[in-house]
Amino acid sequence: MLRYVVRRLIGVIPTLFVLSFLLYAWLRSLPGGPASALLGDKATPEKIAALNQTLGLDDPIWVQYGKFIGRVFTGDFGASLASSRPVADELADALPATIELAFAALLFAIVLGIPLGYLSAKRRGGFFDNATVIATLVGVAVPVFFLGYVLKQWFAVDLGWLPPSGRVTVGLDQTRITGFLVLDGILTREWDVVWDSLRHLILPAITLGTIPLAVIVRITRASVLDVLNEDYVRTAEAKGLRARTIRNRHVLRNGLLPVSTTIGLQAGLLLAGAVLTEKVFVWGGIGSLLAEGIEKRDYPRLQALILVAAMTYVLVNLIVDLSYALIDPRVRVR
């Protein structure tokens, strides 16, 4: 197992370097460039050339990339062109909000998705199965922003059960330690903050988790159907093993490999920043920073955000690979 983990960790390093170089080269090839964005309406060819020379943007791309990577290793992503704040500080403020939302959305999708997919497969062709398949199609088809506005209208405006936006009620006293509001409330035993943060989290988590939920249900259903037709499941049933034993040891464990892949990919998507969901619910996470960075051509911010998103995908895929070895020991020796 240790050798398998080491091999996967070694493989991640060149992947991250290639991704970071491609990202840097792509952003530098976009029209305009950082100098034009910095100068704004005052940009002239002479001023742009002078600023490029001052910032070192006229150096060869590999020289610029080397300087960029050197700064990244020290945690320096530069200063935002829009706010003049260090991009690292902006990331530190926004990342906990996105992680908290993504975790809640993924938890919602997993807790409902795997049982629904399993039950749908066990009742193949029945009313429950058909209803689940139709519901998952609707869940994938409905745009996230539309679902978010509908949920806000029903549960926040019409019924008044949940808050419509934000992470916490304005004016509520709270002590911030990690930036994760629910966790901070638990650590400081501010139970009113915990309850208020959870209430603010429900609607955006359901909105963001609907598509992953539909995908997990369908993948689980297909995977379980494949496993149920295997000889070892029929043998276990013929031997008279309990239904719980067959379900846990033979069906779910063998059917979890494609499901874990799906969960990993969905986690990467969610952590990369749910732009539409964060905009609808004024969440203030990575997605909001990314949207503002694109709008204002904030190259340092975009560079850091996309790099973080790419690293997230790579690390999530590494975790998925390691989970394979835990679920199916045969993977370790391949």
Coordinates of all heavy atoms in Angstrom, one line a residue, residues 2-16 314-315 318-319 321-322:
L2 N 2.0 1.2 0.8 CA 2.9 2.4 0.9 C 3.5 2.7 -0.5 O 3.6 3.8 -0.9 CB 3.9 2.2 1.9 CG 4.9 3.3 2.1 CD1 4.2 4.6 2.5 CD2 6.0 2.9 3.2
R3 N 3.9 1.6 -1.2 CA 4.5 1.8 -2.5 C 3.5 2.4 -3.5 O 3.9 3.2 -4.3 CB 5.1 0.5 -3.0 CG 6.3 -0.1 -2.2 CD 6.6 -1.4 -2.7 NE 7.0 -1.5 -4.1 CZ 7.3 -2.6 -4.8 NH1 7.1 -3.8 -4.2 NH2 7.6 -2.5 -6.1
Y4 N 2.3 2.0 -3.4 CA 1.2 2.5 -4.3 C 1.0 4.0 -4.0 O 0.9 4.8 -5.0 CB 0.0 1.7 -4.0 CG -1.2 2.2 -4.8 CD1 -1.4 1.8 -6.1 CD2 -2.2 3.0 -4.3 CE1 -2.5 2.2 -6.9 CE2 -3.3 3.5 -5.0 CZ -3.4 3.0 -6.3 OH -4.5 3.5 -7.0
V5 N 1.0 4.4 -2.7 CA 0.8 5.8 -2.4 C 2.0 6.6 -2.9 O 1.8 7.7 -3.5 CB 0.6 5.9 -0.9 CG1 0.6 7.4 -0.5 CG2 -0.6 5.3 -0.4
V6 N 3.2 6.1 -2.7 CA 4.4 6.9 -3.1 C 4.4 7.0 -4.6 O 4.7 8.1 -5.2 CB 5.7 6.1 -2.7 CG1 6.9 6.8 -3.3 CG2 5.8 6.2 -1.1
R7 N 4.0 6.0 -5.4 CA 4.0 6.1 -6.9 C 3.0 7.2 -7.3 O 3.3 8.0 -8.2 CB 3.6 4.8 -7.5 CG 4.6 3.7 -7.4 CD 4.4 2.6 -8.5 NE 3.0 2.1 -8.5 CZ 2.7 1.1 -7.8 NH1 3.5 0.4 -7.1 NH2 1.4 0.6 -7.8
R8 N 1.9 7.2 -6.7 CA 0.8 8.2 -7.0 C 1.3 9.6 -6.7 O 1.1 10.6 -7.4 CB -0.5 7.9 -6.3 CG -1.2 6.7 -6.9 CD -1.7 7.0 -8.3 NE -2.4 5.9 -8.9 CZ -1.8 5.0 -9.7 NH1 -0.5 5.1 -9.9 NH2 -2.5 4.0 -10.2
L9 N 2.0 9.8 -5.5 CA 2.4 11.1 -5.1 C 3.5 11.6 -6.0 O 3.5 12.8 -6.4 CB 3.0 11.0 -3.7 CG 2.0 10.9 -2.6 CD1 2.6 10.7 -1.2 CD2 1.0 12.1 -2.5
I10 N 4.4 10.7 -6.5 CA 5.5 11.1 -7.4 C 4.9 11.5 -8.7 O 5.3 12.5 -9.4 CB 6.5 10.0 -7.6 CG1 7.3 9.7 -6.3 CG2 7.4 10.3 -8.8 CD1 8.2 8.5 -6.3
G11 N 3.8 10.9 -9.2 CA 3.2 11.2 -10.4 C 2.5 12.5 -10.4 O 2.3 13.1 -11.5
V12 N 2.1 13.0 -9.2 CA 1.4 14.3 -9.1 C 2.3 15.5 -9.4 O 1.8 16.5 -10.0 CB 0.7 14.4 -7.7 CG1 0.3 15.8 -7.4 CG2 -0.5 13.5 -7.6
I13 N 3.5 15.4 -9.0 CA 4.5 16.5 -9.1 C 4.6 17.0 -10.5 O 4.4 18.2 -10.8 CB 5.8 16.2 -8.5 CG1 5.6 15.9 -7.0 CG2 6.8 17.3 -8.7 CD1 6.9 15.4 -6.3
P14 N 5.0 16.2 -11.5 CA 5.1 16.7 -12.9 C 3.8 17.2 -13.5 O 3.8 18.1 -14.3 CB 5.7 15.5 -13.7 CG 5.4 14.3 -12.9 CD 5.4 14.8 -11.5
T15 N 2.7 16.6 -13.0 CA 1.4 17.0 -13.5 C 1.1 18.4 -13.1 O 0.6 19.2 -13.9 CB 0.3 16.1 -13.0 OG1 0.6 14.7 -13.3 CG2 -1.1 16.5 -13.5
L16 N 1.4 18.7 -11.8 CA 1.2 20.1 -11.4 C 2.0 21.1 -12.1 O 1.6 22.2 -12.4 CB 1.4 20.2 -9.8 CG 0.4 19.5 -8.9 CD1 0.9 19.5 -7.5 CD2 -1.0 20.1 -9.1
V314 N -6.3 17.9 -9.4 CA -5.3 16.9 -9.3 C -5.3 16.2 -8.0 O -5.2 14.9 -7.9 CB -3.9 17.5 -9.6 CG1 -2.8 16.6 -9.3 CG2 -3.8 18.0 -11.0
L315 N -5.4 16.9 -6.9 CA -5.4 16.3 -5.6 C -6.6 15.5 -5.3 O -6.5 14.4 -4.7 CB -5.3 17.5 -4.5 CG -4.0 18.2 -4.5 CD1 -4.0 19.4 -3.5 CD2 -2.8 17.3 -4.3
L318 N -6.0 12.3 -7.0 CA -5.1 11.5 -6.2 C -5.8 10.8 -5.0 O -5.6 9.6 -4.8 CB -4.0 12.4 -5.6 CG -3.0 11.8 -4.6 CD1 -2.2 10.6 -5.2 CD2 -2.1 12.8 -4.0
I319 N -6.7 11.5 -4.4 CA -7.5 10.9 -3.3 C -8.4 9.8 -3.8 O -8.5 8.7 -3.2 CB -8.3 12.0 -2.6 CG1 -7.4 13.0 -1.9 CG2 -9.3 11.4 -1.6 CD1 -8.1 14.2 -1.3
D321 N -7.7 7.9 -6.4 CA -6.8 6.7 -6.7 C -6.5 6.0 -5.4 O -6.5 4.7 -5.4 CB -5.5 7.2 -7.3 CG -5.7 7.6 -8.8 OD1 -6.7 7.2 -9.4 OD2 -4.8 8.2 -9.4
L322 N -6.3 6.7 -4.3 CA -6.0 6.1 -3.1 C -7.2 5.3 -2.5 O -7.1 4.3 -1.9 CB -5.4 7.1 -2.1 CG -4.1 7.8 -2.4 CD1 -3.7 8.8 -1.3 CD2 -3.0 6.8 -2.7

